[in-house]
Amino acid sequence: MSAEGGTKAIVAALAANLGIAASKAVAFAFTGSSSMLAESIHSVADSGNQGLLLLGRKRSERDRTPQHPFGYGRERYFYAFVVAVVLFTVGAAFSLYEGYHKISHPEEVKSPVWAFAVLIVAIGLETFSFRTAIKESNQVRGEQSWWSFIRRAKAPELPVVLLEDLAALVGLFLALFGVSMAVATGDGVWDGVGTVAIGLLLGAVATILAIETKSLLIGEGVDPQTERRIIEALESVDEVDHLIHIRTEYMGPDELLIAAKIAVNHDDTAADVARGIDAAEARVRAQIPEAKLIYLEPALDEASRTRVEETRKPETPATS
């Protein structure tokens, strides 16, 4: 799967969230709604999320150094993990606290017209951001389901933005529900209920993102389909008899490490083996462009090794 794409979605989400955060803060100032305050904090956190994702992409482009010989590609995974664990979790914790406070000490929602107007505008802006993220994701998603795409994507930005925008949209409807019920019943507890629901939503999204980005940060290999393509490319070279074993790991969304042990014919010369290795690397890269680091170890398989050892055994002298 290509690791390209995502910048447009990040920028669209950043612009939308900055505007939404400002409008929600104004609405909170006029209404005193804790749902609006929670949503404002949510949008501020989302803006920080996009900033961190852009920072991670920029830092991952640094050249290799002796201390980091495989480069900085995993910076993108690190910053995505920070987004999941820190910002989302902080937003969830704040929302849960604010919701508990409002349920314990309910207050009437003032100037509800402001809240409704801002929420409707925010829903429109978030819908635009979410639509952009979906469009960008469809360019690399292929025939995968959305859940499979989020689970298997090697570039972390699009899954983060997708879940973030989805959580924002659902959170806005929860805030709209809480404010509407508080106005309709005159009971400010409903505003607190909406705020708690937003906190639980953010906590769920934080958990999903933390699990997925942690897996990327530790190191993931290719999926079974891609591994089969790599093996077929290796074994298509005449000098490669068959694959003995293979290991793969993404050093970054755009950089795949492949280490494999290949069986070669025991009659081949060193020059033949070297040409075969070069040809095998070229064919793998033609199939998998992100395979930037390929290390192939030639070896004899057990059957060939046994035959070679038998030919080298000294003949036993005949006895009279």
Side-chain angles (χ1 to χ4, degrees):
M1 182 194 328
S2 172
E4 297 175 0
T7 302
K8 185 177 180 181
I10 298 172
V11 173
L14 176 60
N17 283 318
L18 288 173
I20 292 170
S23 62
K24 289 175 182 175
V26 171
F28 166 70
F30 280 94
T31 64
S33 166
S34 65
S35 292
M36 293 305 304
L37 177 60
E39 275 299 301
S40 179
I41 296 297
H42 179 189
S43 294
V44 170
D46 284 352
S47 301
N49 292 347
Q50 278 94 53
L52 284 174
L53 292 176
L54 291 171
L55 177 62
R57 287 178 75 101
K58 182 65 177 177
R59 290 182 61 83
S60 71
E61 295 171 357
R62 289 180 294 167
D63 294 332
R64 296 181 178 86
T65 65
Q67 187 176 9
H68 297 278
F70 289 104
Y72 293 85
R74 285 185 178 171
E75 290 259 18
R76 291 167 69 175
Y77 300 152
F78 170 75
Y79 282 98
F81 188 75
V82 171
V83 166
V85 174
V86 179
L87 294 179
F88 260 121
T89 304
V90 168
F94 177 84
S95 298
L96 289 171
Y97 169 79
E98 184 64 23
Y100 171 78
H101 176 75
K102 183 55 66 83
I103 291 173
S104 302
H105 305 87
E107 298 178 7
E108 182 182 357
V109 176
K110 300 171 288 185
S111 304
V113 174
W114 274 94
F116 292 133
V118 168
L119 285 172
I120 290 171
V121 170
I123 288 172
L125 290 173
E126 283 292 0
T127 299
F128 165 75
S129 177
F130 191 39
R131 180 177 175 274
T132 303
I134 290 175
K135 184 178 179 181
E136 289 281 290
S137 299
N138 279 333
Q139 295 179 9
V140 296
R141 183 169 65 96
E143 297 180 356
Q144 298 180 90
S145 66
W146 284 107
W147 179 244
S148 178
F149 172 69
I150 290 171
R151 291 293 307 274
R152 296 182 180 180
K154 303 307 178 186
E157 293 85 4
L158 282 173
V160 169
V161 173
L162 276 169
L163 289 177
E164 186 181 89
D165 285 348
L166 178 61
L169 267 176
V170 176
L172 285 167
F173 281 107
L174 290 173
L176 186 61
F177 170 79
V179 173
S180 298
M181 291 299 295
V183 172
T185 63
D187 188 353
V189 168
W190 283 104
D191 187 28
V193 170
T195 308
V196 169
I198 292 170
L200 293 174
L201 172 67
L202 292 179
V205 171
T207 301
I208 294 171
L209 286 177
I211 291 172
E212 294 307 317
T213 54
K214 171 179 172 286
S215 179
L216 290 169
L217 193 57
I218 292 173
E220 285 189 359
V222 298
D223 56 73
Q225 294 84 358
T226 304
E227 184 173 289
R228 280 197 295 271
R229 291 168 58 200
I230 294 172
I231 295 173
E232 289 172 359
L234 289 172
E235 294 184 339
S236 68
V237 177
D238 292 337
E239 290 81 1
V240 178
D241 186 73
H242 64 271
L243 177 78
I244 298 175
H245 64 70
I246 184 172
R247 299 289 185 271
T248 63
E249 185 170 325
Y250 278 93
M251 309 309 295
D254 304 302
E255 191 166 49
L256 174 64
L257 168 67
I258 299 174
K261 195 168 190 176
I262 54 175
V264 298
N265 193 304
H266 72 277
D267 292 329
D268 286 347
T269 66
D272 292 333
V273 173
R275 282 194 298 271
I277 288 175
D278 290 341
E281 291 181 358
R283 292 192 185 183
V284 170
R285 290 193 175 99
Q287 289 288 322
I288 316 293
E290 63 267 30
K292 305 288 176 52
L293 303 168
I294 302 176
Y295 299 102
L296 301 180
E297 178 186 356
L300 297 177
D301 62 10
E302 290 301 323
S304 297
R305 185 179 294 110
T306 300
R307 288 195 299 269
V308 171
E309 289 175 353
E310 288 177 350
T311 60
R312 291 176 177 174
K313 288 182 180 178
E315 294 185 3
T316 303
T319 57
S320 58

